[in-house]
Amino acid sequence: VIIASHSFDFLAPLADEILVLGGGFDQQTGTPKDIYEKPDTTIVARLTGETNLIRARRISSSDAALPEFQTLDGEYRILSQPTPKSRLGPLNKDSTLAIRPEHVMMSMGTSFPEDNLLRAVVTKIEFHGATCLIEFDAGGLTLKARVFKVVGLEPGTECMLGLPPDRIVVLKD
């Protein structure tokens, strides 16, 4: 059965395999889980749900176990998940990294340095029923986190954000 829809949330529980079309081209094919967790391109990342897209420049060797990047906004040094060399592109070239809001960890205290820690300030809180989408400013880098509950958090609150390297995908744009 073939079903066409603009809603990934509608298709994901129904489909064994999904073909994402964008700009008139086949962007990616795979299971709903694979496409959501490891989008190939910015188009796929955007079409499959809320995502943080981070412009960054690779600063590590292509042989590094975890590729290291410096964000263009905020100039943070962050690590991403292991990535095939062919997807990394040349050293010092701008890339797009993606991390879903539900994978951004928010902490009012300490965390582990290997989680790409960034100091941030809450700029907006959107209520979505069972979850809230919280927007942050991390020195010019805008990020969103999806959490189940917000207690004592309001715009202006400062906290630490953790971006687990194993959840950061290097897109092949």
Side-chain angles (χ1 to χ4, degrees):
V1 174
I2 296 175
I3 301 172
S5 174
H6 291 282
S7 173
F8 183 80
D9 290 337
F10 169 74
L11 289 176
L14 299 175
D16 294 325
E17 188 170 357
I18 291 178
L19 166 67
V20 179
L21 295 172
F25 297 97
D26 172 357
Q27 295 287 327
Q28 187 174 351
T29 302
T31 66
K33 183 176 189 263
D34 288 342
I35 288 174
Y36 184 80
E37 292 182 353
K38 296 189 179 200
D40 279 345
T41 65
T42 301
I43 291 172
V44 174
R46 284 188 174 135
L47 288 174
T48 55
E50 186 79 42
T51 192
N52 291 295
L53 297 174
I54 303 168
R55 294 296 294 159
R57 182 168 289 131
R58 183 169 61 91
I59 57 175
S60 64
S61 158
S62 57
D63 293 326
L66 297 177
E68 187 174 6
F69 294 84
Q70 183 165 345
T71 65
L72 300 185
D73 294 327
E75 297 184 356
Y76 291 100
R77 294 172 81 108
I78 59 174
L79 302 171
S80 75
Q81 63 184 237
T83 304
K85 289 180 185 182
S86 61
R87 195 171 188 140
L88 288 175
L91 189 64
N92 292 320
K93 180 181 180 258
D94 293 354
S95 299
T96 302
L97 310 177
I99 183 168
R100 299 287 182 183
E102 63 270 20
H103 296 142
V104 175
M105 300 179 309
M106 184 178 58
S107 169
M108 304 303 277
T110 60
S111 190
F112 299 102
E114 60 271 11
D115 286 338
N116 296 316
L117 292 182
L118 292 75
R119 185 174 307 282
V121 175
V122 175
T123 57
K124 183 178 177 183
I125 299 173
E126 290 180 10
F127 177 75
H128 288 258
T131 65
C132 287
L133 191 63
I134 304 172
E135 190 171 296
F136 298 90
D137 176 22
L141 177 63
T142 301
L143 293 168
K144 293 180 182 178
R146 184 171 307 281
V147 298
F148 282 109
K149 211 180 197 184
V150 177
V151 176
L153 198 64
E154 58 188 45
T157 303
E158 188 175 288
C159 58
M160 298 297 289
L161 299 180
L163 309 179
D166 65 335
R167 295 299 192 162
I168 297 176
V169 177
V170 180
L171 302 177
K172 58 179 182 179
D173 291 333

